[in-house]
Amino acid sequence: MLKFLSRMERTRSLIIIGFAILMAASLVFFYAPRGDNAAATADRTEVLASVGDEEITVGDVLLRLRNDRSKLSRQAAQRVINQMLPELILVHEAKRLGLTASDAEVAEVIRKNQKGASGEVDVKSYMDRIGDVTRYEESIRDELIADKMRSLITASVTISEDELQSTFERRNTIFDLVYVPIAVDKVAERINPTDQELRDYYEQNKNAFNVTVPQKKIRYIFVSQDKQYEKVQIPEEKIRTAFEQLDEKNKSAGVEVQQIVLKVARPDLDNGVRAKAEALVAELRKGGKVTQEAFAEVARGQSEDPATAKNGGMLPKPYKVNPNKPDALYDRMVDLTEDTITDAIKYGSVWYIMRRGKDVQKTYEDAKPDLLPSLRNSAAYDAASLIAQRVSERLKETKDIQKVAQEFAAEANMKPAEMIRETPYVVPGDEVPEIGSSKQFEDGIEPLVNVNDVGERTPIKKGFAIPMLIDKKEPGIPEFGDIKGKVLKTFRMERAKAQVEETARNLTSSAGGAANLKAAAEKLGLEAKTATQYSVGFPLGEIYEVAASESVILNMDEGAVNFVKMGERWVVVGATKKEKANLAEFAQQHDVLMQRALDERRGLVFADYMIAIRRRLESEGKIKIHEDQLAKLGDEPPPPAITMPQQQIPQQQTITLPQQPPSDRPTK
């Protein structure tokens, strides 16, 4: 054990936003002191991931999961690995550069964290509480090394006074805008060439339409899945059987979630709100499990979300993870056990405390509206597939599409004319009318070599096709009539690309000011949209590629109209109102703004450095994820909760990197 004699101030880590804060907080959280029960989890030495000689074991993952009593599973382990990898990368790189922490520095940190009410460290109590003293002290050393590494990376970051003021003005100049997006495809829709213009274009660009594979003209019988859906009936007993066969995961309606919401009115109040949130967490956890009633009482008195506070913080319906929205705020609730709460969590400009309630199971009546369409879709697909198979067999016998369509029309719930379709001459990659670009259709017609060859049933959009080759042309330049649709599409897009900037210029000059922009746009068949209280750097409605627009918009006077390219489209912008940044407020907030700007810059520099290191280590094969060990993880009960003095339990903070530039705009 280290000697508790040396007296040195602990090296303080720089305050770095986002990625840097996340790693610093999680390092402290992971290496918090633990009792004997928690120490036992460190015996799980199976390696799940590694960075050089630094490893993440099952024991490490269990220790991470202990605070919220989450179960060990592959999903939970993967989440912990994703959190820990940046830490290991940082420590690995620091050690490579020779950064170390002395025994005296480690001892000072331990002394500060472990001193009792008397102000001194009870060594025996410390050793009993920690368990694996060597491992804990080495973790403190790694944390100090990581602090030094961050300091080294960001030491040279500076912000000039001109840059600070310019940033303030940029973020705090407010506009009301009218804007008109002009996309190439929208301009293309309005281009209607004459037949002669298309023929001339074709003649001038024949070589561009040359094809190197045979062109095939296909007539096919279409069997609609939608028409089968209209007629198929699902017996009640089949729906009930499907419900009974659902696994527990699919029967789940979600989990009950209660929340306490504490809003941050201004950036300078954030620390105070955080302290309040952490105090509420500590108070709620005093009794171990947190009951619905205990949490509800606090939520009614403290939560700043009126919609849920009046109901004791309860969300209006059970929460279920949406796989299409990863890292959603409430996703973490699924991994908690019942009657436990999260630490204080920062999400956007709000602090949350959340409680996981009971699992809610769907009743049969709840599940039926979801099961019935699925069962009908499945039955309709099967019915259409069987009909299509028989159509294919019959068409191969007769080679008569009209006759076969008439034979199967009633069963297909279609008219014969609906079933018979025909394509133009097509080659792989073409957009086929009523089918689109379909690899399955291309594969289905690929074996058809001779006229009247019939293919197998082929899945296409909304049903099945049974194709028959009715004509073929050898590779070469197609005739104009055979590819008129393709010529039109190519002509339109080419002209539109040339006209879209001109359209933006003409609209800008003809508008006669921002107040008239909407009317001028409508005359051209374009849609004008509005944005109020807009500051540059943020998305403009659905447009996210706004970097190029910043200087154009900032330099606009009230009433002015201008145009700028944003991504693949041109946008005409009119400023109906402009409120310049208040430089008196800039002077008042100067020191806070400077610190925030430094933090942001340091965070970006640090994040860029870490990305570069990770890429290098990955290319060198030094970052390894052991999928074989991850695959073995099943659900295991959470480790026992650890009861410790409040000052010795570091609070874990969840950091969400901003999706939009942070605003220095003062609250008025």
Side-chain angles (χ1 to χ4, degrees):
M1 187 186 70
L2 292 168
K3 297 179 180 179
F4 291 93
L5 297 176
S6 60
R7 301 276 182 178
M8 295 181 65
E9 288 296 318
R10 176 184 175 193
T11 304
R12 307 300 296 176
S13 61
L14 294 172
I15 304 172
I16 301 175
I17 63 169
F19 184 32
I21 298 178
L22 174 61
M23 289 196 296
S26 53
L27 270 168
V28 174
F29 174 71
F30 174 57
Y31 292 125
R34 52 193 179 274
D36 292 339
N37 287 333
T41 64
D43 294 339
R44 296 290 300 272
T45 58
E46 306 100 299
V47 178
L48 300 178
S50 61
V51 180
D53 295 332
E54 310 293 328
E55 296 178 339
I56 301 174
T57 66
V58 175
D60 295 331
V61 170
L62 283 167
L63 288 169
R64 281 286 177 113
L65 298 174
R66 78 186 190 281
N67 199 52
D68 58 13
R69 304 181 191 176
S70 295
K71 292 181 179 180
L72 176 63
S73 65
R74 177 171 185 151
Q75 182 182 12
Q78 189 65 64
R79 187 179 70 250
V80 171
I81 289 171
N82 291 339
Q83 294 170 353
M84 291 185 65
L85 272 179
E87 306 159 14
L88 267 65
I89 291 170
L90 185 63
V91 172
H92 176 275
E93 184 67 6
K95 290 180 178 179
R96 185 184 72 82
L97 296 176
L99 293 181
T100 61
S102 68
D103 288 353
E105 290 175 296
V106 175
E108 181 61 22
V109 172
I110 294 172
R111 183 184 302 107
K112 182 176 180 180
N113 289 343
Q114 303 300 320
K115 64 185 178 182
S118 65
E120 298 298 327
V121 176
D122 183 331
V123 176
K124 184 178 184 305
S125 175
Y126 160 69
M127 295 179 68
D128 291 342
R129 185 165 57 248
I130 293 300
D132 189 343
V133 173
T134 300
R135 184 175 185 275
Y136 174 66
E137 291 178 349
E138 283 306 305
S139 72
I140 295 296
R141 192 183 308 278
D142 284 348
E143 183 190 343
L144 288 169
I145 292 171
D147 283 347
K148 292 181 179 182
M149 186 67 181
R150 282 188 289 270
S151 298
L152 177 65
I153 295 168
T154 61
S156 61
V157 172
T158 59
I159 302 288
S160 70
E161 288 294 331
D162 287 345
E163 184 180 2
L164 184 67
Q165 181 171 327
S166 175
T167 300
F168 178 84
E169 291 177 349
R170 180 172 63 86
R171 292 179 177 175
N172 292 276
T173 298
I174 310 303
F175 294 87
D176 286 353
L177 300 176
V178 177
Y179 66 98
V180 184
I182 307 174
V184 172
D185 57 343
K186 294 298 182 183
V187 175
E189 290 173 1
R190 306 200 324 270
I191 297 175
N192 295 304
T194 64
D195 193 67
Q196 188 58 50
E197 285 178 314
L198 279 184
R199 288 183 178 276
D200 291 343
Y201 179 81
Y202 165 78
E203 291 296 336
Q204 295 165 10
N205 298 276
K206 270 188 175 182
N207 290 335
F209 298 103
N210 184 48
V211 294
T212 59
V213 295
Q215 306 162 66
K216 296 179 179 181
K217 192 178 186 71
I218 303 294
R219 188 173 292 145
Y220 64 95
I221 294 179
F222 173 61
V223 179
S224 169
Q225 181 179 339
D226 289 348
K227 291 294 184 179
Q228 292 301 302
Y229 187 92
E230 291 174 5
K231 61 183 286 190
V232 71
Q233 298 295 321
I234 307 298
E236 189 74 18
E237 58 269 22
K238 188 171 182 178
I239 305 173
R240 190 171 293 278
T241 299
F243 172 73
E244 292 170 353
Q245 290 175 347
L246 288 175
D247 59 30
E248 290 303 311
K249 180 179 179 182
N250 289 324
K251 279 187 178 179
S252 172
V255 299
E256 289 184 343
V257 177
Q258 290 171 277
Q259 65 178 11
I260 296 170
V261 177
L262 302 175
K263 299 178 181 178
V264 181
R266 300 194 312 270
D268 58 302
L269 300 177
D270 185 71
N271 286 338
V273 177
R274 176 183 179 179
K276 177 180 178 180
E278 290 176 346
L280 291 176
V281 170
E283 184 66 26
L284 284 165
R285 283 178 173 163
K286 278 185 177 179
K289 287 189 175 183
V290 182
T291 65
Q292 178 179 329
E293 294 74 17
F295 193 94
E297 183 178 353
V298 177
R300 291 189 187 98
Q302 300 292 338
S303 182
E304 297 173 12
D305 176 30
T308 57
K310 63 183 180 182
N311 295 322
M314 188 72 73
L315 297 190
K317 60 182 181 180
Y319 181 79
K320 193 170 185 179
V321 172
N322 183 347
N324 297 318
K325 295 182 179 180
D327 300 326
L329 172 63
Y330 301 105
D331 279 5
R332 69 204 73 209
M333 304 309 296
V334 177
D335 291 330
L336 295 185
T337 53
E338 189 174 339
D339 293 334
T340 58
I341 63 173
T342 64
D343 294 320
I345 296 172
K346 180 77 174 292
Y347 197 85
S349 60
V350 176
W351 284 91
Y352 289 85
I353 306 164
M354 293 177 289
R355 174 188 173 274
R356 188 204 197 276
K358 64 184 179 183
D359 287 295
V360 179
Q361 295 293 307
K362 293 179 182 177
T363 65
Y364 171 69
E365 293 302 325
D366 291 335
K368 184 177 177 180
D370 295 326
L371 286 172
L372 185 56
S374 176
L375 291 170
R376 289 185 68 186
N377 268 323
S378 179
Y381 180 91
D382 291 344
S385 177
L386 287 172
I387 295 171
Q389 180 60 37
R390 291 165 50 221
V391 167
S392 175
E393 294 167 358
R394 183 67 174 138
L395 188 57
K396 288 175 183 178
E397 293 174 4
T398 67
K399 306 292 185 180
D400 189 334
I401 280 187
Q402 185 67 39
K403 179 179 180 180
V404 174
Q406 288 174 340
E407 289 179 5
F408 284 90
E411 189 177 352
N413 196 28
M414 302 173 71
K415 296 177 181 179
E418 292 180 296
M419 299 179 70
I420 299 173
R421 295 179 176 181
E422 190 172 298
T423 75
Y425 287 94
V426 294
V427 295
D430 280 353
E431 290 274 342
V432 181
E434 298 184 281
I435 293 178
S437 181
S438 169
K439 183 66 167 58
Q440 287 178 304
F441 186 74
E442 291 174 7
D443 292 343
I445 67 174
E446 194 275 333
L448 308 184
V449 177
N450 301 309
V451 172
N452 289 334
D453 281 355
V454 176
E456 305 297 330
R457 65 179 174 186
T458 302
I460 61 171
K461 182 168 61 176
K462 297 186 177 182
F464 293 86
I466 299 86
M468 184 169 78
L469 180 65
I470 60 171
D471 197 13
K472 182 173 71 171
K473 293 185 178 182
E474 294 306 316
I477 298 175
E479 295 296 325
F480 171 74
D482 294 336
I483 57 167
K484 184 176 178 180
K486 185 184 294 186
V487 175
L488 174 60
K489 182 178 179 180
T490 305
F491 179 92
R492 281 176 163 173
M493 291 303 293
E494 186 175 302
R495 293 296 172 87
K497 288 177 182 177
Q499 290 181 16
V500 68
E501 182 178 357
E502 182 182 353
T503 302
R505 289 181 184 276
N506 291 340
L507 178 57
T508 301
S509 60
S510 65
N516 304 318
L517 180 56
K518 181 178 180 181
E522 289 173 349
K523 287 181 180 179
L524 296 176
L526 299 170
E527 181 184 3
K529 303 180 180 183
T530 59
T532 58
Q533 291 291 295
Y534 177 79
S535 58
V536 297
F538 288 83
L540 190 57
E542 77 286 2
I543 305 171
Y544 290 85
E545 308 92 340
V546 295
S549 71
E550 291 191 7
S551 60
V552 172
I553 295 176
L554 276 174
N555 291 323
M556 291 175 63
D557 294 325
E558 190 169 303
V561 178
N562 211 333
F563 64 97
V564 64
K565 190 173 185 182
M566 299 185 189
E568 294 299 315
R569 73 194 103 190
W570 288 84
V571 181
V572 179
V573 182
T576 56
K577 182 180 178 181
K578 180 177 183 179
E579 181 182 342
K580 292 184 177 180
N582 188 333
L583 293 182
E585 291 178 346
F586 170 73
Q588 293 172 0
Q589 300 177 25
H590 176 276
D591 292 345
V592 173
L593 296 175
M594 178 60 80
Q595 186 59 54
R596 186 181 302 158
L598 285 169
D599 291 345
E600 289 179 16
R601 180 69 56 81
R602 287 166 180 158
L604 291 172
V605 169
F606 181 72
D608 287 344
Y609 185 88
M610 290 299 298
I611 289 169
I613 294 175
R614 180 163 187 159
R615 286 175 178 166
R616 173 171 59 79
L617 292 175
E618 286 174 339
S619 68
E620 294 172 355
K622 293 184 178 179
I623 297 179
K624 297 178 181 178
I625 307 296
H626 298 276
E627 295 290 346
D628 57 333
Q629 292 296 334
L630 278 169
K632 296 177 182 178
L633 298 181
D635 286 342
E636 297 188 13
I642 309 302
T643 303
M644 297 181 59
Q646 183 61 33
Q647 70 270 20
Q648 293 174 353
I649 303 178
Q651 298 295 324
Q652 185 181 23
Q653 178 182 0
T654 297
I655 302 298
T656 301
L657 294 178
Q659 300 300 308
Q660 300 174 344
S663 174
D664 294 323
R665 190 180 309 156
T667 300
K668 295 183 180 179

